[in-house]
């Protein structure tokens, strides 16, 4: 699914802002997620200052997707990616280049540039992007084989802001794994993304800051499964008129011919 | 006092509370501390000193509230400067939803409108439309509180030996209480450090009666009045074991919060920037672990002053039963249960 790696869970979880590492561990186990993101920059400090926490994440035995969260420039993001490869011994990198401090909106120009540099260096880039089709094209050209458009701004819990945009992205890239990353608030948002045919969802705050993160992790896992099953079952398209679910032949028809 | 039966290693809030709880039960105790003076190298020196069990409920396990609540009386009894005027929680207009969420997760508060806020904190009049007031909470000045504990220990003839580095295995006593915080990690492999940063500012233009929390998307921000125009602004929580000075980003966030609370903080003097590492176990809750005659009392995380009393009493219970086992025939002198 992602750069030749097959996964059984379609839920990817972030590891920040949980009440404690113990709760984080329980939430992840309950969710069945096989990939977790770890932010390098935000955890602060140069070198291996975050080693205790990172070791804890590694001890969970999951696939780690390191993250350049909090980087505002190409240079910063590339540097952080290098550090991540060294620390976690993985070519995977979730690439975030932030363009606006308030909305944490990706700087798509910097993103494409950083994606090109990192892809050429052999990284397998998971770019956090908007749902813009042309930007997505450029990212694929730059070497990305996964795209991660936002649902809504990070941490906003608004769900899928632009369903039309996400749909056309799916239609445009039938063969590139697509992940809705960021902005999901409740499990129905995740189900909606999966019903659009997205390959997976990535979220953090909605679980980490829920009153009961472990229970919420389970709720999201169920929603992702339901949404995926619904997509595979070929759901109906909305119609303008009612369509009776029981046959009407042989019944009195009001307002007939 | 007689030859110590128990040695406490570490004179931060954990060590001093444990030593006092032991001394109060009539156990002969001595404290050794690596630092040369009170507070040196102790992360409790950088603490906020909020005794806010119900506010903490917003982000922590219920245990923090249940174990933390009795600490208010514990401190008030031993440190009369403990201020019992509650605490106030506000949010900037754009984070209004966070206030409702905070309310849904906490208890023992009252909603206050603009007038209600002005009655409590006249200097905040007109600045916020709604706030949560937790009337039963308290706060204290951590440095003065540590000094008060040290004085109480002295009054009970408990020696605190500064500048002495001792590992629990080398301590000559019937029981050893290891309160070294992060320095004890060679014995406690699952202990980690969580970086916290704080700033102390001084201004005569703002006056607050009680800690004010400002809900913030990333940092649990609070401003605690320390008297004499001093305010402590805290505190970041970063999963990093970097020591060393406060980062610009953290300083900006902390100072912005103060400025958003009241613009007069813009003219305040920065008196101190501090950073240290909080010792924490994976569940972020304190533990008492026994190995032989050593009890490790550790992991107070961001709840040093709130949870030290409960940790101390639990530790004292454990020491008492350990000593009782050893002298199962001879009764301990002056034994007293709280």
């Amino acid at each position: 699914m992602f750069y030749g790696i097959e996964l059984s869970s379609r839920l990817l979880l972030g590891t920040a802002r949980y009440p404690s590492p113990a709760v984080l561990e329980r939430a992840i186990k309950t969710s069945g997620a096989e990939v977790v993101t770890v932010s390098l920059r935000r955890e602060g400090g140069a070198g291996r200052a975050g080693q205790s926490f990172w070791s804890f994440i590694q001890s969970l035995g999951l696939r780690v997707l390191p993250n350049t969260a909090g980087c505002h420039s190409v240079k910063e993001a590339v540097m952080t990616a290098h550090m991540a490869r060294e620390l976690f011994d993985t070519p995977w990198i979730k690439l975030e280049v932030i363009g606006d401090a308030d909305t944490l909106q990706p700087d798509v120009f910097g993103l494409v540039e950083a994606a090109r540099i990192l892809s050429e260096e052999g990284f397998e880039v998971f770019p956090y992007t908007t749902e813009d089709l042309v930007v997505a094209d450029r990212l694929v050209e730059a070497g990305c084989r996964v795209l991660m458009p936002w649902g809504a701004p990070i941490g906003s819990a608004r769900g899928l802001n632009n369903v039309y945009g996400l749909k056309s992205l799916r239609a445009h890239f039938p063969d590139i794994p697509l992940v809705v990353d960021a902005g999901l608030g409740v499990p129905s948002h995740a189900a909606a993304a999966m019903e659009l045919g997205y390959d997976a969802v990535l979220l953090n705050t909605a679980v980490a800051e829920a009153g009961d993160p472990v229970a919420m992790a389970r709720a999201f896992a169920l929603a992702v499964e339901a949404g995926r099953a619904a997509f595979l079952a070929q759901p109906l398209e909305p119609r303008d008129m009612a369509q009776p679910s029981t046959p009407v032949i042989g019944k009195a028809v009001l307002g007939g011919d | 006092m007689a030859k110590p039966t128990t040695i406490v290693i570490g004179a931060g809030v954990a060590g001093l509370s444990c030593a006092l709880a032991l001394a109060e039960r009539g156990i002969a105790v001595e404290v050794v501390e690596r630092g040369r003076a009170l507070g040196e190298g102790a992360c409790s020196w950088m603490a906020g000193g909020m005794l806010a069990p119900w506010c903490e409920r917003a982000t922590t396990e219920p245990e923090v509230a249940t174990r933390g609540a009795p600490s208010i009386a514990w401190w008030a009894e031993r440190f009369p400067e403990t201020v019992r005027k509650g605490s106030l929680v506000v949010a900037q207009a754009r984070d209004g939803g966070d206030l409702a969420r905070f309310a849904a997760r906490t208890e023992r508060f009252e909603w206050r409108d603009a007038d209600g806020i002005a009655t409590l904190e006249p200097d905040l009049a007109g600045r916020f439309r709604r706030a949560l007031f937790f009337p039963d909470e308290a706060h204290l000045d951590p440095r003065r509180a540590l000094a008060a504990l040290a004085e109480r220990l002295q009054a009970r003839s408990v020696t605190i030996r500064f500048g002495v580095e001792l590992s629990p295995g080398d301590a000559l006593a019937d029981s050893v209480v290891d309160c070294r915080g992060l320095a004890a990690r060679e014995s406690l492999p699952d202990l980690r450090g969580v970086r916290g940063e704080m700033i102390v500012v001084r201004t005569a233009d703002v006056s607050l009666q009680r800690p004010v929390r400002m809900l913030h998307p990333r940092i649990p921000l609070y401003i605690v009045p320390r008297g004499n125009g001093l305010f402590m602004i805290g505190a970041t929580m970063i999963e990093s074991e970097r020591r060393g000075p406060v980062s610009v980003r953290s300083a900006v966030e902390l100072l912005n919060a103060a400025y958003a609370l009241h613009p007069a903080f813009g003219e305040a003097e920065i008196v101190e920037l501090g950073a240290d590492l909080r010792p924490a176990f994976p569940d972020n809750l304190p533990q008492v672990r026994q190995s032989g005659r050593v009890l490790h009392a550790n992991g107070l995380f961001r709840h040093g002053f709130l949870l030290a009393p409960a940790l101390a009493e639990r530790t004292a219970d454990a020491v008492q039963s350990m000593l009782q086992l050893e002298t199962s025939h001879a009764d301990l002198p002056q034994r007293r249960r709280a």
Side-chain angles (χ1 to χ4, degrees), chain A residues 17 19-23 26 41-46 49-50 52-53 56 70 72 102 209-211, chain B residues 59-61 94 101 105 185 191-193 216-218 238-242 249 281-284 301:
Chain A
R17 300 164 77 174
S20 68
V23 173
R26 287 208 305 276
R41 269 200 67 77
R42 197 178 299 141
E43 309 311 351
S52 276
F53 186 70
F56 171 79
H72 285 253
D102 270 338
E209 296 202 343
Chain B
T59 52
T60 58
E61 312 267 341
R94 70 174 198 182
R101 191 170 63 158
R105 292 184 185 175
R185 66 189 313 171
L191 197 68
R192 74 187 196 287
H216 180 285
R218 287 181 296 280
I238 305 172
E239 289 288 351
S240 164
E241 298 187 334
R242 180 170 77 86
R249 180 189 297 250
F281 288 114
D283 60 1
N284 289 347
F301 184 47

Side-chain angles (χ1 to χ4, degrees), chain A residues 8 24 28 36 49 86 90 93 100 128 152 161 165 188 205 243 251:
Chain A
S8 49
L24 160 67
I28 288 170
V36 291
E86 198 184 309
T90 171
I93 187 77
D100 180 84
Y128 165 62
N161 254 353
S188 55
T205 317
Q243 186 185 16
K251 288 190 177 174

Side-chain angles (χ1 to χ4, degrees), chain A residues 207-228:
Chain A
V207 168
E209 296 202 343
D212 182 342
V214 180
M216 191 59 88
R218 177 166 178 271
F220 267 101
L222 293 172
V224 167
E225 205 185 318
R228 177 67 184 172

Side-chain angles (χ1 to χ4, degrees), chain B residues 24-268:
Chain B
E24 286 174 355
R25 297 179 189 206
I27 294 167
V29 59
E30 181 181 86
V31 182
V32 295
E33 161 60 44
R34 177 170 69 169
R36 283 157 301 174
L38 189 67
E40 190 187 288
C43 64
S44 28
W45 200 248
M46 300 294 171
M50 286 188 301
L51 305 174
W54 297 288
C55 277
E56 284 302 315
R57 190 63 197 89
T59 52
T60 58
E61 312 267 341
E63 206 178 329
V64 172
T66 50
R67 284 203 205 157
S71 73
I72 295 172
W74 195 96
W75 282 110
E77 202 177 300
R78 289 159 183 83
F79 179 52
E81 288 175 40
T82 302
V83 185
R84 304 178 77 164
K85 291 188 179 171
S87 47
L88 199 64
V89 181
V90 299
Q92 287 182 276
R94 70 174 198 182
D95 300 327
D98 293 350
L99 204 57
R101 191 170 63 158
F102 195 91
R105 292 184 185 175
T106 52
E107 53 184 358
R108 298 187 58 165
F109 59 80
E110 301 157 9
W111 280 101
R112 290 289 170 121
D113 61 7
D115 290 343
I117 297 168
T119 316
L120 286 170
E121 296 290 356
D123 279 2
L124 297 184
R127 300 204 53 77
F128 299 93
R129 281 191 297 139
R130 268 148 74 82
L132 296 170
F133 176 49
F134 292 76
D136 304 322
E137 296 189 336
H139 70 281
L140 48 74
D141 179 332
R143 298 174 187 183
R144 295 183 62 88
L146 289 180
L149 290 187
E151 275 168 35
R152 288 198 159 252
L153 286 167
Q154 268 173 337
R156 289 177 177 270
S157 313
V158 175
T159 313
I160 305 177
R161 291 196 284 141
F162 287 102
V164 177
E165 185 151 10
L166 187 64
S167 80
D170 301 334
L172 298 170
D174 297 334
S175 69
V176 180
V177 179
D178 175 9
C179 295
R180 290 174 295 160
L182 210 53
R185 66 189 313 171
E186 93 282 348
S187 328
L188 303 167
D190 57 343
L191 197 68
R192 74 187 196 287
V194 180
R195 181 173 164 87
E197 296 151 297
M198 56 81 99
I199 300 180
V200 180
V201 301
R202 179 166 38 222
T203 175
D205 299 339
V206 187
S207 153
L208 294 175
Q209 300 295 309
R210 52 185 63 73
V212 179
R213 282 184 193 234
M214 180 111 112
L215 299 185
H216 180 285
R218 287 181 296 280
I219 301 176
L221 271 170
Y222 50 82
I223 297 177
V224 191
R226 288 275 167 86
N228 300 320
L230 291 173
F231 296 86
M232 182 270 196
I233 311 165
T236 55
M237 281 216 288
I238 305 172
E239 289 288 351
S240 164
E241 298 187 334
R242 180 170 77 86
R243 293 188 181 273
V246 177
S247 75
V248 170
R249 180 189 297 250
S250 297
V252 165
E253 302 252 32
L254 294 172
L255 293 172
N256 261 341
Y259 186 68
L261 186 69
H262 200 295
F265 278 115
E267 304 304 320

